[in-house]
Structure formats: structure tokens, C-alpha cells
Amino acid sequence: MTRVAGLAEIVLWVHDMVAAMHFYRDGFDLELISPPELPNKFLRAGPGASGVPEMIVLVPYPDPSFEFPREKAKRVLHHIAFRVEARAYDDLQLHFMAEGVEVRTGVHPVLKGARTFYVDDPDGNEVEVISPA
């Protein structure tokens, strides 16, 4: 059984949200699916499966004076996310715990009912795992 069912989202830091929205939303005709008040812009890039769409997420660079955990603001890539089937989610989480990898849980800001956790790869890049509940 393959643990990864597909790519759920690619999250990118952006300096100019207007220009980034023009490029991704308007240029590629991606649908904005996040609420307007959310500073991060979630764009549907594909239908995905099991209620988890494929997404490009645009995140504004934080104020330079903001102290960001694990120096995320210095990265070009914010994080990547893999979509996994519900039955593989717990197994994958237990696998990383058994390997001694720190597993961080969270609540997805757009996908209600989805389960999500985060791990860092050996180079410090954050990887999110998203599954339907």
C-alpha cells in the first residue's frame, strides 16, 4: 500500500500578494477557496480526492521584525503537503513517531474536518500530511 495518495498543497511565500494572485488565480484560472479575511490565499488547483482538493497557497512574508519559529521566513518554500487516505494517516503518524521525528498537529484553516500533522525533513523543510476525517 502506498502511503501518499497525492499532493494536497504547495505553500509559497510571496512578497506581493496582488501580483501573486494575478499570476496564480487569474493566469491559471485557479479558484479562490479561502475566506476573504484570511491573509493566506488558498487556490484550488485540482479536484483532489476524499474531500481534500489540490491547492496552491500564497502566504505573505511576515514583518521582518516578527520572530518566526524554525526560521521559516528565510525559506523560499513555506511547506509541502501530502494527501493521504484516512486509513494511512494514523500509520504514517506512528511511523514518524517511532523514527523519533517530532510530529506536530494542527487544525487546517480552510478544510473543515480534515486531519493534519506536520514533520520536518532532514533539511528542515516542513512537510504536512492531510487526510479526510
Side-chain angles (χ1 to χ4, degrees):
M1 172 177 81
T2 301
R3 289 186 170 147
V4 173
L7 191 61
E9 61 187 30
I10 297 173
V11 183
L12 304 170
W13 289 114
V14 299
H15 288 350
D16 183 338
M17 186 61 74
V18 173
M21 286 291 288
H22 177 70
F23 182 81
Y24 286 102
R25 182 193 57 203
D26 304 335
F28 290 100
D29 199 25
L30 301 181
E31 176 191 1
L32 179 67
I33 62 172
S34 54
E37 65 275 6
L38 193 65
N40 301 346
K41 303 303 178 192
F42 288 72
L43 302 163
R44 183 185 314 268
S50 304
V52 177
E54 296 166 356
M55 298 172 285
I56 299 291
V57 183
L58 308 175
V59 178
Y61 271 100
D63 180 303
S65 65
F66 181 76
E67 288 190 32
F68 225 93
R70 296 183 321 280
E71 306 218 358
K72 280 188 181 180
K74 292 182 180 177
R75 298 182 195 164
V76 174
L77 179 68
H78 186 282
H79 74 269
I80 64 170
F82 291 111
R83 175 178 44 86
V84 301
E85 297 300 327
R87 66 182 182 274
Y89 181 90
D90 293 326
D91 290 340
L92 195 53
Q93 193 172 33
L94 290 172
H95 165 77
F96 284 115
M97 289 177 175
E99 292 288 317
V101 175
E102 178 190 4
V103 176
R104 300 175 303 280
T105 59
V107 176
H108 199 281
V110 173
L111 303 175
K112 305 306 177 208
R115 298 190 302 164
T116 183
F117 71 84
Y118 302 84
V119 294
D120 291 338
D121 75 10
D123 292 306
N125 295 305
E126 188 172 67
V127 178
E128 180 181 11
V129 175
I130 301 175
S131 170

